[in-house]
Amino acid sequence: MTELTSNKQATLDQIEAATSLDTLEEQRVAALGKKGWVSLALKTLGQMNPDERKEAAPAIQAVRAEVAGAIDAKKVQLESAALEAQLANETIDLTLPGPDLPQGSIHPVSQVMDELAEIFADLGFAVATGPEIEDDWHNFTALNMDESHPARAMHDTFYFPDAAADGGKMLLRTHTSPVQIRSMKEQGAPIRIIAPGRVYRSDSDATHTPMFHQVEGLVIDRDIHLGHLKWTLETFFKAFFEREDITLRLRPSYFPFTEPSVEFDVGYANEGDRRVVGGHGDDEGHDWMELGGSGMVNRRVLEFAGVDPDEYQGFAFGLGIDRIAMLKYGMNDLRAFFDGDPRWLSHYGFSPYDQPTLSAGVGARS
Ligand code: PHE
């Protein structure tokens, strides 16, 4: 016991005298480390008889607590002294020139894709991807467009000269819908994904470029109906355009992979040479703009993707990312998106520091 007390006093004195974190650490190891004297004292408990142990154990534990407490207190003291010293020594020369402003900017398409992902993540959608070089089966056949289907002709497809390993044709995907097939095959149902990405069609004018961007949406679960589709689109567009007065018009349409199929338009007003979303398309000074296609996923597509259509059903939609970017941020020529002109980018691009978040607003300010 007396040895314990004298050891304790010596250690406390040393801790008090420590001038650096290193010497303090040495003291900690010497006392509380595996072979430290406190630890060795604790080990002697094993050889004692119960009466001795009853008396010794609390005494040793008390010493341990006291030493550990002293070390912690000293540590805080040494650390704040070190910080004080650093603050006293360090100086910043405020006359030095600042770093160059960042030259790069985020392309509006990337910005809008980030905004989309943020909004749909909040609705419980995961982001899925698929290859841009696609095979004929995923792009067409599994989407209920067999070899002879006339809808294939509408897609102005870029084909590769070489066939795939299975003899089928390879192509640049004409829409993001093949990601529906890939995702269902991989994950099965239920599923809730969006798939943004590049798509290709042999087409070019002020509103069409051979490469453009789409986002696909797919929800498969039990008891999903058209009402869910309408709500999802409306909720998305309100969040995306950051206004409540968004009116959607759903029109009956046809896609081989959905049944029934609907195209959706949004009401907008012409303000000067700019189109501003909002309001009812039939109102004075307003019109409708088509934004994309959608519908209830065709049973045949679910079968191709290995999902049981008697148990599961759902909706899919595809919409043009470039088009909603133009509407939101006021560009009027699609071709400029892909010219890579730094003047256009510095005018329409976004700050890399301006990440879209639902809480701070998904719309960029720059
Ligand atoms: N893939 C269609 C297109 O590119 C859009 C679409 C997607 C339609 C999903 C219905 C369902 O035109």
Side-chain angles (χ1 to χ4, degrees):
M1 261 324 130
T2 48
E3 195 190 331
L4 198 63
T5 318
S6 64
N7 271 345
K8 182 187 87 176
Q9 200 47 54
T11 299
L12 290 180
D13 290 346
Q14 281 168 353
I15 291 171
E16 183 50 38
T19 51
S20 74
L21 287 166
D22 285 347
T23 47
L24 188 65
E25 175 64 8
E26 279 167 26
Q27 264 124 42
R28 190 192 64 80
V29 172
L32 306 178
K34 246 199 200 133
K35 299 207 170 94
W37 61 267
V38 178
S39 309
L40 294 180
L42 281 168
K43 275 192 193 139
T44 61
L45 290 173
Q47 285 117 46
M48 293 179 189
N49 65 43
D51 283 344
E52 286 173 333
R53 193 181 303 138
K54 220 178 189 172
E55 198 183 316
I60 303 176
Q61 291 295 4
V63 167
R64 194 172 77 122
E66 199 177 335
V67 171
I71 290 172
D72 287 346
K74 188 69 184 180
K75 197 169 172 201
V76 170
Q77 192 188 330
L78 286 173
E79 277 171 351
S80 71
L83 181 64
E84 287 299 327
Q86 192 186 2
L87 288 175
N89 277 325
E90 266 180 7
T91 52
I92 300 173
D93 184 351
L94 294 176
T95 65
L96 285 174
D100 284 345
L101 285 175
Q103 298 287 308
S105 64
I106 303 290
H107 194 283
V109 170
S110 303
Q111 172 76 22
V112 166
M113 284 190 182
D114 287 349
E115 295 177 11
L116 286 169
E118 178 72 14
I119 297 168
F120 278 110
D122 197 50
L123 298 176
F125 286 71
V127 174
T129 54
E132 289 169 30
I133 296 176
E134 189 50 282
D135 57 56
D136 186 271
W137 190 83
H138 285 93
N139 195 84
F140 289 126
T141 309
L143 289 160
N144 196 27
M145 283 180 271
D146 67 20
E147 297 274 328
S148 58
H149 202 290
R152 283 194 178 208
M154 288 165 21
H155 281 228
D156 300 314
T157 313
F158 288 112
Y159 284 100
F160 285 88
D162 300 325
D166 67 358
K169 285 187 221 134
M170 294 299 287
L171 47 84
L172 289 173
R173 67 177 180 192
T174 58
H175 51 176
T176 42
S177 300
V179 186
Q180 287 184 34
I181 305 296
R182 290 182 177 275
S183 304
M184 283 190 276
K185 283 189 89 105
E186 266 165 39
Q187 300 170 38
I191 190 169
R192 211 186 289 187
I193 53 136
I194 56 161
R198 296 190 188 102
V199 300
Y200 303 82
R201 290 183 201 178
S202 176
D203 204 351
S204 188
D205 60 37
T207 53
H208 297 88
T209 49
M211 183 282 296
F212 57 104
H213 298 84
Q214 283 188 335
V215 60
E216 193 80 8
L218 174 70
V219 172
I220 303 289
D221 209 327
R222 295 183 176 91
D223 305 323
I224 298 290
H225 54 71
L226 265 185
H228 294 122
L229 167 64
K230 182 163 188 270
W231 182 89
T232 304
L233 290 173
E234 266 172 10
T235 304
F236 164 70
F237 284 120
K238 282 179 184 168
F240 179 75
F241 289 113
E242 296 180 275
R243 48 194 298 168
E244 280 298 308
D245 66 337
I246 297 287
T247 320
L248 277 192
R249 179 175 73 175
L250 303 189
R251 272 181 296 113
S253 181
Y254 173 76
F255 299 101
F257 32 94
T258 47
E259 182 60 37
S261 302
V262 283
E263 282 177 297
F264 47 95
D265 308 330
V266 69
Y268 71 91
N270 279 308
E271 288 182 13
D273 61 354
R274 212 187 139 164
R275 291 171 164 186
V276 178
V277 277
H280 195 278
D282 292 335
D283 284 350
E284 174 86 18
H286 284 68
D287 210 342
W288 297 106
M289 189 190 306
E290 184 191 325
L291 292 184
S294 62
M296 300 305 292
V297 178
N298 193 307
R299 293 177 61 89
R300 303 251 308 148
V301 173
L302 295 175
E303 278 165 11
F304 274 118
V307 169
D308 179 0
D310 290 324
E311 185 173 5
Y312 289 105
Q313 57 284 132
F315 63 80
F317 60 84
L319 76 108
I321 292 182
D322 314 288
R323 189 168 278 195
I324 60 171
M326 290 168 82
L327 253 187
K328 182 166 177 179
Y329 293 114
M331 305 83 164
N332 47 28
D333 192 336
L334 179 62
R335 288 168 296 195
F337 272 59
F338 311 119
D339 284 344
D341 184 334
R343 289 165 303 183
W344 187 88
L345 277 171
S346 73
H347 184 76
Y348 287 112
F350 298 94
S351 163
Y353 304 120
D354 197 5
Q355 288 294 318
T357 60
L358 280 182
S359 50
V362 289
R365 284 157 294 279
S366 51

